[in-house]
């Protein structure tokens, strides 16, 4: 501030002029101070009346200079009640000291909104009732502070939420530092540690084995956590955990990410694992049951198909294709192609069945098809229309090859018939047995009667011979029907001769030469009628296979068995067409036959069953176009090796 | 002195029993004919037979039971049993073939083989009787 100097000798006018200029200078400076941009300045009375205010104040509060002149502004009225106490304290300070210490408070603008100010005030020198206040607008700072406070509160809230989420999630979450120390573990992770919290990976390593799913134990360096610390990211990697203490095994899926510092060094590894044991188990269970289902469909020879009724196109499974004789399902399929396979005489009926399925929504039928290879097969078709209500657009269903069971049923029927016929023949034979014997006795007595003429003798001899033929037939019929005769010593050669007697006429009519080579052998302990049946089957086959003027050899000879003991070998050899290599495995199967029209496919099957029942083995050697040799090797031989006197077939 | 050996013929079919009896009488045997096993037991004959020729299946007492009864009362008597169904014989019959005094034959029997069998079974007793 310029100094007011007095100069001796200057005139009064100059002095006054100087003073005025001086005063103007002060006033101007004061005014500049008063009207600064920084402070709001306010003249007041201690009772709150506002006596004057600068532009800055008016701008801050929204009042006009007119409002100030009219005395409409009152400081107390501009102060919200919560600051009245602070104001009172300021007044007290003013009264005592002539000023108050700066304090922050809010006050009201003309429009009622609030603003923050930093207040300081002092009285004039001569009075303590009036003074000046300087107000610094700190609203912006205050808002920033509030925002910061709110942000802080918010971030605390977020942290809390995060913690809640972490502790409630099913995944175990771990955070390890670069040295493998555990920094954080959520609730799930703590529970997995079973009440004995770990503090580092090496501690975890003592308690836990980590294995790959194929069962190889992973070294610590290969654990997902340690690979994370080297910067790798396991994405859903599945490992097997084995808890040494409890013996529990778990499959877990691992996820995680390394956290790097500004220089790119890994400072943290965050790893989550989730127990997927149940899921893996359920999946493998599902896989197994699916495999079982496929296997079942495969074993059941169940084919699947689907027909689009709009364009009659179709799809089918591999098994379906195989039933129809295709190697695979690659060729296109349709309803028409299906019908092409159906035997012509069954097509109309089959089409009606299909229409019925479309009409009623579902159904099934049997039909016979011709496969690609020409073989005919019985199939059973089940179908379902979709949608089942309204006009169906698709048909789907299954198909099954039922040829085997059809043939079984037919064969069963046939064997039933055979058994019935056999029983009937046996009954008849039995009934005529006794009369035949009585007749025989009568003829014998007549023939030995001294009064019988020479001529009558000849007639009686003829009668006796013819009677013997009838006797023979009844004996054979009965012998074949004696299915349950217990094993007894049997002279094989005699048994062979019995059967040959039956085949005599057939051998002759075929012009087949028969050769017998019987060597001395012990009796075999067998069921005679069953051995006769076996022989009859083998002979019958040999006859069918042997061309005119061919040869059949029957041989009975001792043989040395595997254990060094004595056995008996019976051979039926023919010079027939032979059995192709491809059929040799199958000829003993039931229903396998090469005699499509006349064969039941049961002969050799029955033969093998019967042979095994005798404790004997059947062997086969064959060469195409040269012939076939069937051998029966009997193990149960009569140790005494002599003909027992007991049962004599007369 | 020549004594005819005593033979029993047992069969429920009367014509067959009679026919066999005639045949054996013709061959020189002293034959008693019965029409069931029970006939033998009820009319206990005076003369002990050296041989009995019997059917197996008979309505009241079958050949097997009759054989056992004969064993008890005439242990020396030999037995020829015939049947059309050898396989239907009870299990114990399988032990009998070893007994030289027991023979089983399958029906129908030709007269020649029946006579041969009867002769074979009675040969030694016949000699004995003849000498004694």
């Amino acid at each position: 501030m310029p100094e007011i100097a007095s100069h001796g000798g200057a005139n009064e006018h100059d002095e006054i002029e100087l003073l005025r200029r001086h005063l103007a200078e002060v006033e101007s400076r004061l005014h500049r101070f008063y009207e600064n941009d920084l402070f709001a300045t306010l003249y007041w009375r201690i009772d709150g009346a506002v006596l004057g205010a600068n532009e800055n104040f008016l701008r801050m509060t929204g009042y006009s200079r007119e409002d100030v002149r009219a005395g409409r502004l009152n400081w107390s009225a501009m102060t919200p009640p919560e600051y009245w106490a602070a104001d009172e304290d300021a007044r007290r300070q003013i009264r005592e000291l002539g000023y108050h210490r700066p304090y922050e408070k809010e006050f009201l603008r003309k429009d009622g909104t609030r603003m923050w100010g930093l207040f300081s005030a002092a009285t004039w020198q001569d009075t303590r009732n009036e003074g000046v206040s300087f107000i610094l607008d700190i609203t912006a700072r205050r808002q920033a502070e509030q925002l910061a406070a709110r942000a802080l509160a918010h971030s605390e809230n977020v942290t809390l939420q995060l913690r809640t989420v972490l502790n409630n999630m099913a995944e175990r979450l771990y955070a390890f530092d670069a040295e493998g120390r555990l920094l954080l573990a959520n609730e799930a992770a703590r529970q997995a540690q079973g009440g004995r919290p770990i503090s580092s990976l090496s501690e975890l390593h003592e308690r836990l084995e980590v294995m790959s799913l194929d069962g190889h134990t992973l070294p610590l360096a290969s654990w997902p956590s340690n690979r994370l610390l080297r910067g790798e990211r396991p994405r859903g990697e599945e490992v097997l955990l084995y808890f040494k203490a409890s013996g529990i095994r778990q499959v877990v899926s691992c996820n995680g990410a390394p956290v790097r510092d500004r220089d790119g060094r890994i400072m943290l590894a965050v790893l989550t694992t989730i127990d997927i044991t149940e899921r893996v188990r359920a999946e493998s269970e599902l896989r197994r049951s699916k495999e079982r289902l496929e296997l079942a469909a495969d074993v059941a020879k169940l084919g699947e198909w689907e027909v689009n009724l709009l364009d009659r196109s179709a799809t089918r499974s591999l098994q379906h294709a195989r039933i129809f004789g295709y190697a695979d399902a690659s060729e296109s399929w349709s309803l028409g192609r299906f019908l092409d396979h159906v035997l012509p005489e069954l097509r109309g009926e089959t089409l009606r069945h299909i229409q019925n399925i479309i009409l009623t929504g579902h159904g099934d039928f049997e039909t016979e098809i011709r496969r690609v290879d020409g073989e005919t097969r019985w199939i059973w078709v089940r179908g379902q229309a979709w949608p089942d209500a309204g006009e169906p657009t698709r048909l789907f269903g299954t198909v099954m090859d039922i040829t085997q069971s059809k043939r079984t049923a037919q064969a069963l029927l046939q064997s039933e018939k055979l058994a019935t016929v056999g029983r009937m023949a046996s009954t008849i034979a039995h009934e005529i047995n006794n009369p035949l014997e009585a007749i025989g006795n009568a003829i014998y007595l007549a023939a030995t009667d001294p009064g019988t003429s020479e001529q009558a003798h000849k007639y009686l001899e003829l009668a006796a011979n013819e009677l013997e033929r009838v006797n023979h037939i009844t004996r054979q019929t009965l012998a074949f029907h004696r299915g349950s005769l217990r094993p007894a010593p049997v002279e094989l050669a005699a048994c062979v001769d019995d059967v040959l007697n039956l085949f005599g006429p057939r051998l002759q009519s075929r012009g087949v030469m028969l050769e017998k080579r019987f060597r001395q052998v012990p009796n075999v302990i067998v069921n005679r009628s069953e051995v006769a049946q076996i022989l009859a089957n083998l002979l019958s086959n040999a006859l069918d296979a042997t061309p005119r003027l061919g040869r059949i050899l029957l041989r009975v000879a001792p043989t040395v068995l595997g254990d060094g003991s004595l056995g008996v070998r019976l051979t039926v050899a023919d010079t027939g067409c032979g059995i192709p290599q491809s059929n040799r495995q199958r000829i003993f199967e039931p229903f396998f036959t090469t005699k499509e029209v006349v064969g039941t496919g049961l002969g050799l099957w029955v033969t093998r069953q019967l042979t095994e029942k005798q404790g004997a083995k059947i062997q086969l050697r064959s060469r195409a176009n040269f012939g076939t040799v069937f051998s029966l090797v009997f193990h149960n031989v009569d140790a005494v090796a002599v003909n027992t006197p007991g049962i004599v077939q007369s | 002195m020549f004594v005819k050996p005593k033979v029993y013929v047992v069969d429920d079919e009367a014509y067959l029993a009679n026919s066999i009896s005639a045949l054996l009488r013709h061959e020189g045997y002293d034959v008693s004919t019965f029409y069931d096993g029970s006939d033998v037991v009820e009319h206990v004959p005076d003369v002990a037979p050296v041989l009995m020729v019997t059917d197996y299946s008979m309505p009241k007492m079958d050949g097997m039971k009759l054989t056992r009864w004969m064993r008890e009362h005439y242990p020396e008597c030999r037995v020829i049993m015939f049947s059309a169904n050898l396989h239907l014989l009870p299990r114990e019959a399988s032990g009998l073939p070893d007994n030289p005094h027991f023979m089983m034959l399958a029906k129908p029997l030709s007269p020649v083989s029946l006579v041969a069998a009867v002769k074979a079974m009675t040969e030694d007793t016949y000699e004995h009787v003849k000498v004694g």
Side-chain angles (χ1 to χ4, degrees), chain B residues 50-102:
Chain B
V50 292
L51 177 71
M52 176 173 79
V53 177
T54 178
D55 188 16
Y56 164 64
S57 56
M58 289 178 289
K60 290 181 190 160
M61 184 188 219
D62 68 30
M64 216 64 217
K65 285 189 190 123
L66 177 61
T67 302
R68 273 199 296 275
W69 187 87
M70 290 294 282
R71 280 266 162 85
E72 253 175 61
H73 296 86
Y74 305 97
E76 296 297 312
C77 179
R78 294 155 189 208
V79 176
I80 293 176
M81 188 154 70
F82 47 88
S83 170
N85 297 303
L86 285 179
H87 63 288
L88 292 180
L89 292 182
R91 188 163 290 272
E92 61 183 293
S94 65
L96 291 170
D98 291 337
N99 184 341
H101 293 167
F102 183 87

Side-chain angles (χ1 to χ4, degrees), chain A residues 173 212 410 519 540 566 589:
Chain A
L173 182 136
S212 59
Q410 280 166 355
R519 285 176 56 191
S540 177
L566 188 68
E589 288 173 13

Side-chain angles (χ1 to χ4, degrees), chain A residues 426-441:
Chain A
S426 160
T427 309
I428 294 168
H430 195 99
E431 287 302 318
I432 64 175
N433 244 343
N434 290 342
L436 283 178
E437 201 174 323
I439 294 166
N441 293 346

Side-chain angles (χ1 to χ4, degrees), chain A residues 491-493 496 516-524 553-561 565-572 619 630-635 637:
Chain A
E491 194 193 336
L492 262 185
V496 173
K516 293 195 282 183
R517 286 186 209 158
F518 294 167
R519 285 176 56 191
Q520 193 70 41
V521 292
N523 287 348
V524 291
L553 169 72
L554 286 161
R555 204 165 69 101
V556 175
T559 186
V560 179
L561 301 173
S565 59
L566 188 68
V568 177
R569 180 185 293 268
L570 169 67
T571 308
V572 180
Q619 296 170 346
F630 279 99
S631 293
L632 303 172
V633 180
F634 294 91
H635 294 230
V637 301

Side-chain angles (χ1 to χ4, degrees), chain B residues 2-6 22-31 126:
Chain B
F2 182 83
V3 179
K4 286 181 177 176
K6 186 72 176 175
L23 189 67
L24 295 183
R25 269 186 208 109
H26 179 82
E27 291 299 317
Y29 293 92
D30 176 12
V31 181
Y126 187 51

Side-chain angles (χ1 to χ4, degrees), chain A residues 339-391:
Chain A
L339 285 169
D340 286 344
H341 278 276
V342 175
L343 298 188
E345 62 269 28
L346 294 173
R347 271 178 208 152
E349 182 193 320
T350 302
L351 199 58
R352 275 196 298 282
H353 281 305
I354 294 171
Q355 281 162 349
N356 196 43
I357 292 173
I358 297 171
L359 276 174
T360 61
H362 58 88
D364 67 295
F365 60 90
E366 288 179 7
T367 191
E368 203 173 359
I369 55 159
R370 187 170 297 283
R371 286 159 50 106
V372 179
D373 56 14
E375 254 189 78
T376 59
R377 294 274 170 168
W378 276 97
I379 55 168
W380 179 50
V381 181
R382 279 183 73 154
Q384 175 99 38
W386 189 91
D388 48 7
E391 187 74 15

Side-chain angles (χ1 to χ4, degrees), chain A residues 510-515 517 538-539 541-554 572-579 621-630:
Chain A
R510 294 293 305 264
V512 170
M513 217 169 74
L514 187 79
E515 193 182 334
R517 286 186 209 158
L538 292 180
L539 259 175
N541 280 348
L543 264 173
D544 285 338
T546 309
R548 226 177 154 68
L549 303 177
R551 236 160 32 96
I552 292 177
L553 169 72
L554 286 161
V572 180
D574 66 63
T575 57
C577 55
I579 299 167
R621 280 183 297 136
S622 186
R623 216 173 132 194
N625 302 322
F626 276 82
T628 305
V629 180
F630 279 99

